[in-house]
Amino acid sequence: MKQDKEMPFNGDFEDSDADEDDVSQESESEEEQIQIKKKKKKVVNSSKKLIMNVSDTQYPVVKFVGKMIYKFKLSYVPYLENNNWDFCWTDNAVLPETLSKMQPHQRINHFPGMYSLARKNHLGRNLNKMQKQYPDEYDFYPRTWMLPSEYGDFKAQFQKGKAKTFIVKPEASCQGKGIFLTRSIDQINPQEHYVAQRYIHKPLLIDGLKFDLRMYVMICGCDPLRIYLYKEGLARFATQQYSSPHSTNLDDVCMHLTNYAINKDNPNFVFNEDEKKMDVGHKRSMTSVFDWLRLQKQNVDQLLSDIKDLIIKTFCAVQPILQQNYTQVENYANNMCFEILGFDILIDSSLKPYLLEVNHTPSFTTDTPLDSYIKKNLIRDAITLMNINVKTKNEIISQKKDQMQKRVFTGKKAKLSYEEKRVLKMQAQKERDEYELKNKGDFELIYPCDKSYDEFLQHAQKLYEDWTGANIRRNLKRDTISEQPKPQSCTQKPILTQKSQLYKHVQSKVNTNLYPTKITKADQEVTQEEPDQTLQQVQEPIQSQPQLEPDNFVTYEDYQQSESLKDLYNFAEKRIPEIQLIDLIQFRRAESKQDNSSFQIIQMSQQNSLSNLSPLMQIKSIQDQKNEKKFSIRKKNKQSKQIDQEQLYFQQQSHYQPPIQQHSISYQQQVQMQNGSFVKPKVFSIKLQHPPKGYKLQSLPILMQQNYTKQRQEQGV
């Protein structure tokens, strides 16, 4: 306050250093130009002033506070073209790209993404989403429709008997431009973009005039939220005596609207000419209104508590958007941006506050002594609260240099763990709390507070993810994990390292599906009639049942539901060719390991392979079915007659003969070449005519006659 008394602000300010760059051009001699340049260099080199960029602001009070109170050096070069500044004040929105180019010590007076509050349509849409989930908590603003998207619902409001009054505003306007009241849907163009709200018929009146409050709220952190409320504000009054809206006074904007830009041109408007008399005129201080309410024995403390609550809930609705646009990951203090917002609050006759709109660039014009006093102190306290000074700047720059030196020495960028980042954030937040507690001026910290708002923040985060689609991939991943069946026997699937294990897997799966664990009554009756040998073969325990990949095997659900073993025999009768093929594959693999010169070893391998026949073949041999199909392959030699095409066929025989014996006979009849090799092999693709249901077997290449030259050379034959 001492600074204010020493340097009063009368509303006008001109920077004498703004045109220094043009002085050299006006000098008469070159010597004077050189002397001026030397003086400028000395000033720049010797000064320890911070540079405040004011190229994008039109308010003299901002320049006055920076130049006269904080002794900043003002820069008029566009801040987007030159990054040589420490603190930037702009009257327009800031993009995320601008924030990403800033240095850690730089500060700017806007958050990217604040359109979610400043635009009337975005504000109404975000609050409506929260109201659907919390209708009792988010009832602090008039019912709102976004046109033309909600034109149908809004049109239905005019068809419900009693006439209602609505206030219609352009979705992106300010200072009361384009606002009108209506009771007829015909006055609204369905193609125009508007924001329509229910008109509050019974506002609180002072001296018979309608008024609203311009409250200054400062957000200086979005992750987490950090909100301050300025203790002083403005009360803006209408200039015509208020009466309830009807068809004859809907066009009287000076009665229904309290905007200063509209009422200041009315002849009835009374300006405030003394900052010490804050309760006079059509623009008064906010504290004078609260004092008047206390004289009327109204509960002002409850009113302030409700206003703080609605401010916090409004920020909760858009916090995820602000956090997403704030991309400074290494700013652990959460203090590179701040923003002074203008909340317009209307109080009804029951002392309930309503949020009308939020301004992200509130007017800082100072055409009255009251404006000069309040707005000058507001900007001063905001800069002090953000700790914008030379000492803080040097500390941040020195920390950055230390990190760069470590990176040069080690050759790697230091990557902090999550726990280390959390500790740094907590430490920076603690230091910030201690500083702001001593230097907050007329600001009051309203969030964080004792009351918890986590429920609203979590729901707002969910709405943001649904809107952006950020949760679609996470939900799909969760669904796929939940739908995957858990393995019953083993957690890991076996890897087939040897081809010889294929038959074991097939056999184990066939046994598992042919002989379910549950035995029905029909099974018991059949087993009593069969011989004991059949029971031993049927109920033979399975040693291993490894799990195959889904591409190779699918469970026989229909076979597990069979009622008797007769169905199994019928199934085996139809699958004889497939079983023969499996036996042939097994024999060919076993044959490659034996000595070709010893026919006795071949007979032993035949006996071993016969003993390893599949259970289907054993069942079939017990039943003595005579109408079996035998698998054979036609041979072709160079000495024999030429055959146009080899064929794969089945021959009818009276008794079943395993294909292994026929193959051994054909092997003995093969004719060797002069070099000791057999005829060049030919490859065929054999497919199952009747594959088991659910079993996927790829076509297997079969060698009709193999070349054993390499094996004979190894044996020395």
Side-chain angles (χ1 to χ4, degrees):
M1 299 300 295
K2 292 182 180 180
Q3 292 176 340
D4 298 342
K5 293 180 180 179
E6 295 176 357
M7 297 181 183
F9 178 65
N10 57 5
D12 295 329
F13 175 74
E14 293 183 1
D15 187 11
S16 59
D17 298 334
D19 300 328
E20 277 188 358
D21 296 336
D22 300 332
V23 175
S24 59
Q25 298 178 0
E26 299 176 358
S27 302
E28 296 180 356
S29 62
E30 295 181 358
E31 296 180 357
E32 294 180 358
Q33 294 180 7
I34 295 173
Q35 292 179 0
I36 292 173
K37 290 182 180 180
K38 289 182 179 180
K39 290 181 180 179
K40 290 176 63 177
K41 287 183 179 180
K42 290 182 180 180
V43 172
V44 173
N45 294 332
S46 61
S47 66
K48 296 182 179 179
K49 297 181 180 180
L50 296 180
I51 300 176
M52 179 179 180
N53 192 295
V54 292
S55 60
D56 197 25
T57 182
Q58 60 178 340
Y59 300 115
V61 64
V62 176
K63 303 174 184 178
F64 174 82
V65 173
K67 180 72 173 182
M68 307 305 296
I69 297 180
Y70 287 97
K71 308 300 180 182
F72 293 153
K73 180 181 179 181
L74 303 185
S75 173
Y76 295 90
V77 181
Y79 71 96
L80 295 176
E81 299 178 4
N82 186 7
N83 200 33
N84 186 23
W85 47 266
D86 303 303
F87 172 43
C88 179
W89 188 287
T90 175
D91 297 338
N92 298 306
V94 174
L95 299 176
E97 292 78 8
T98 303
L99 186 63
S100 62
K101 297 178 182 178
M102 291 172 53
Q103 299 297 324
H105 69 277
Q106 292 179 322
R107 303 288 182 267
I108 196 166
N109 70 319
H110 282 288
F111 274 93
M114 195 56 72
Y115 64 87
S116 56
L117 281 183
R119 293 284 295 267
K120 297 178 180 63
N121 56 337
H122 287 276
L123 175 63
R125 186 179 297 108
N126 292 325
L127 293 180
N128 284 343
K129 290 179 181 179
M130 297 295 291
Q131 191 184 43
K132 290 181 180 179
Q133 182 69 18
Y134 306 102
D136 297 333
E137 297 290 342
Y138 279 81
D139 61 343
F140 52 80
Y141 69 102
R143 188 176 179 184
T144 307
W145 294 266
M146 270 62 66
L147 305 180
S149 60
E150 298 178 356
Y151 182 81
D153 187 17
F154 180 65
K155 184 178 180 181
Q157 303 299 318
F158 295 87
Q159 303 173 358
K160 296 182 180 180
K162 186 178 179 181
K164 301 177 183 179
T165 305
F166 298 89
I167 182 170
V168 183
K169 311 173 184 178
E171 64 179 19
S173 65
C174 60
Q175 297 180 352
K177 298 177 182 178
I179 300 177
F180 63 93
L181 274 66
T182 183
R183 283 190 168 190
S184 175
I185 190 65
D186 298 333
Q187 297 181 3
I188 300 176
N189 186 353
Q191 305 300 327
E192 295 292 336
H193 291 263
Y194 289 110
V195 175
Q197 290 181 326
R198 281 295 306 271
Y199 185 79
I200 300 175
H201 295 75
K202 297 181 180 181
L204 180 64
L205 303 178
I206 296 179
D207 299 335
L209 301 176
K210 180 181 177 180
F211 70 96
D212 70 348
L213 300 178
R214 168 59 62 87
M215 307 187 72
Y216 296 104
V217 180
M218 179 176 173
I219 174 174
C220 51
C222 64
D223 185 22
L225 274 177
R226 198 168 186 84
I227 308 170
Y228 281 89
L229 174 64
Y230 199 62
K231 295 181 180 180
E232 190 57 277
L234 296 173
R236 305 175 301 177
F237 286 78
T239 52
Q240 296 288 343
Q241 292 291 320
Y242 178 79
S243 62
S244 299
H246 50 81
S247 58
T248 59
N249 65 358
L250 292 180
D251 296 334
D252 194 350
V253 293
C254 293
M255 176 190 296
H256 301 290
L257 302 182
T258 60
N259 300 75
Y260 173 72
I262 294 176
N263 288 276
K264 69 178 181 178
D265 296 330
N266 191 293
N268 298 330
F269 189 86
V270 178
F271 286 88
N272 180 283
E273 298 180 356
D274 189 357
E275 64 180 24
K276 297 181 180 180
K277 296 180 180 181
M278 299 184 179
D279 56 348
V280 178
H282 288 89
K283 182 186 285 189
R284 308 176 188 177
S285 67
M286 183 178 66
T287 55
S288 66
V289 173
F290 291 155
D291 293 339
W292 182 87
L293 291 175
R294 289 188 178 94
L295 293 176
Q296 302 298 322
K297 296 183 180 180
Q298 299 290 344
N299 192 351
V300 178
D301 295 336
Q302 182 62 39
L303 174 61
L304 287 173
S305 178
D306 295 340
I307 292 175
K308 296 174 185 177
D309 184 67
L310 75 84
I311 291 173
I312 297 172
K313 290 178 181 177
T314 303
F315 278 109
C316 289
V318 300
Q319 189 272 340
I321 302 176
L322 300 178
Q323 179 181 351
Q324 182 66 23
N325 287 273
Y326 189 80
T327 56
Q328 294 299 319
V329 293
E330 295 184 357
N331 181 231
Y332 302 114
N334 189 28
N335 62 350
M336 290 186 65
C337 298
F338 73 96
E339 189 157 355
I340 299 175
L341 302 168
F343 276 67
D344 293 342
I345 307 296
L346 179 68
I347 304 174
D348 66 0
S349 58
S350 62
L351 219 67
K352 179 179 179 180
Y354 286 90
L355 175 64
L356 300 181
E357 62 182 41
V358 180
N359 297 272
H360 75 109
T361 55
S363 175
F364 285 102
T365 55
T366 54
D367 50 359
T368 65
L370 181 64
D371 288 315
S372 300
Y373 176 77
I374 294 176
K375 296 175 182 178
K376 179 193 66 174
N377 296 341
L378 171 65
I379 298 173
R380 179 204 62 191
D381 292 346
I383 296 176
T384 303
L385 190 65
M386 291 305 298
N387 196 13
I388 302 175
N389 52 60
V390 178
K391 180 180 178 182
T392 305
K393 173 187 174 181
N394 294 334
E395 291 177 355
I396 296 174
I397 293 177
S398 62
Q399 293 177 1
K400 197 71 176 178
K401 288 182 178 179
D402 294 341
Q403 295 177 2
M404 293 298 296
Q405 289 179 357
K406 291 181 181 179
R407 184 175 181 180
V408 171
F409 292 151
T410 59
K412 297 181 181 179
K413 184 178 180 180
K415 294 183 179 181
L416 302 178
S417 63
Y418 174 78
E419 185 64 23
E420 292 175 344
K421 292 181 180 180
R422 189 179 68 85
V423 172
L424 290 176
K425 287 182 179 180
M426 293 178 61
Q427 183 180 357
Q429 192 62 49
K430 183 179 178 181
E431 295 176 356
R432 185 176 183 181
D433 293 339
E434 295 176 354
Y435 173 83
E436 292 179 355
L437 184 62
K438 301 177 182 178
N439 300 276
K440 61 183 180 180
D442 289 336
F443 278 104
E444 178 186 0
L445 180 65
I446 62 175
Y447 189 84
C449 58
D450 297 335
K451 184 178 179 180
S452 176
Y453 291 86
D454 294 341
E455 183 179 2
F456 306 119
L457 291 171
Q458 293 174 3
H459 184 68
Q461 181 67 31
K462 180 179 179 299
L463 292 175
Y464 178 76
E465 292 178 354
D466 294 340
W467 176 56
T468 57
N471 60 343
I472 294 177
R473 183 177 298 178
R474 181 171 62 253
N475 294 338
L476 291 175
K477 185 177 181 180
R478 187 187 303 112
D479 294 341
T480 53
I481 294 175
S482 61
E483 291 177 0
Q484 289 181 357
K486 296 181 179 180
Q488 298 179 358
S489 59
C490 56
T491 58
Q492 297 182 355
K493 297 180 180 181
I495 300 175
L496 300 179
T497 57
Q498 297 180 359
K499 293 183 179 180
S500 60
Q501 297 179 2
L502 174 62
Y503 182 77
K504 294 182 181 180
H505 284 266
V506 175
Q507 182 176 356
S508 62
K509 282 296 178 182
V510 171
N511 292 340
T512 305
N513 294 288
L514 289 179
Y515 308 115
T517 55
K518 296 182 180 179
I519 301 176
T520 60
K521 294 182 179 180
D523 295 336
Q524 295 178 358
E525 294 177 359
V526 174
T527 53
Q528 291 178 1
E529 298 176 359
E530 297 295 333
D532 296 338
Q533 296 179 357
T534 305
L535 291 174
Q536 292 177 1
Q537 294 176 358
V538 171
Q539 300 178 359
E540 184 178 358
I542 301 173
Q543 297 179 359
S544 63
Q545 299 180 5
Q547 186 176 2
L548 293 178
E549 296 289 338
D551 295 340
N552 297 333
F553 184 80
V554 179
T555 308
Y556 305 162
E557 297 180 356
D558 53 343
Y559 300 148
Q560 292 179 355
Q561 298 176 358
S562 61
E563 297 181 355
S564 63
L565 292 177
K566 293 181 180 180
D567 297 337
L568 304 179
Y569 301 151
N570 296 332
F571 167 73
E573 182 179 0
K574 296 179 182 180
R575 298 297 185 265
I576 289 301
E578 285 80 353
I579 302 303
Q580 293 178 1
L581 177 61
I582 295 176
D583 293 339
L584 177 60
I585 295 172
Q586 182 184 12
F587 174 76
R588 295 294 292 174
R589 289 172 178 166
E591 184 184 25
S592 61
K593 298 180 181 180
Q594 61 187 348
D595 188 3
N596 295 324
S597 63
S598 177
F599 183 73
Q600 296 179 357
I601 298 178
I602 295 176
Q603 293 180 348
M604 293 176 62
S605 64
Q606 293 175 2
Q607 295 177 1
N608 294 334
S609 59
L610 285 172
S611 62
N612 293 330
L613 289 177
S614 64
L616 293 177
M617 296 304 303
Q618 297 177 12
I619 295 171
K620 190 60 183 176
S621 62
I622 294 173
Q623 293 295 323
D624 295 330
Q625 297 293 338
K626 296 182 179 181
N627 296 327
E628 303 294 344
K629 294 182 180 181
K630 178 181 175 184
F631 178 84
S632 63
I633 302 176
R634 270 186 194 176
K635 301 175 295 180
K636 177 183 176 182
N637 297 333
K638 291 184 178 181
Q639 298 177 0
S640 62
K641 295 181 179 181
Q642 294 184 356
I643 301 175
D644 295 335
Q645 182 179 2
E646 287 80 5
Q647 298 179 356
L648 183 68
Y649 66 96
F650 296 92
Q651 297 179 354
Q652 298 289 339
Q653 300 239 349
S654 59
H655 296 284
Y656 168 72
Q657 182 178 4
I660 302 175
Q661 297 180 4
Q662 183 181 3
H663 180 74
S664 62
I665 295 173
S666 63
Y667 174 76
Q668 297 178 25
Q669 296 177 358
Q670 291 179 2
V671 179
Q672 295 184 355
M673 303 293 291
Q674 295 181 359
N675 59 355
S677 64
F678 292 92
V679 180
K680 184 178 180 180
K682 295 181 181 263
V683 180
F684 291 87
S685 178
I686 298 179
K687 297 183 180 180
L688 302 182
Q689 295 180 356
H690 303 284
K693 188 174 182 180
Y695 181 75
K696 298 179 181 179
L697 180 64
Q698 299 179 354
S699 58
L700 302 176
I702 304 300
L703 298 180
M704 294 185 61
Q705 296 179 348
Q706 288 185 338
N707 191 336
Y708 295 98
T709 304
K710 183 177 180 180
Q711 186 176 3
R712 292 170 61 86
Q713 291 177 357
E714 293 178 355
Q715 296 177 358
V717 179

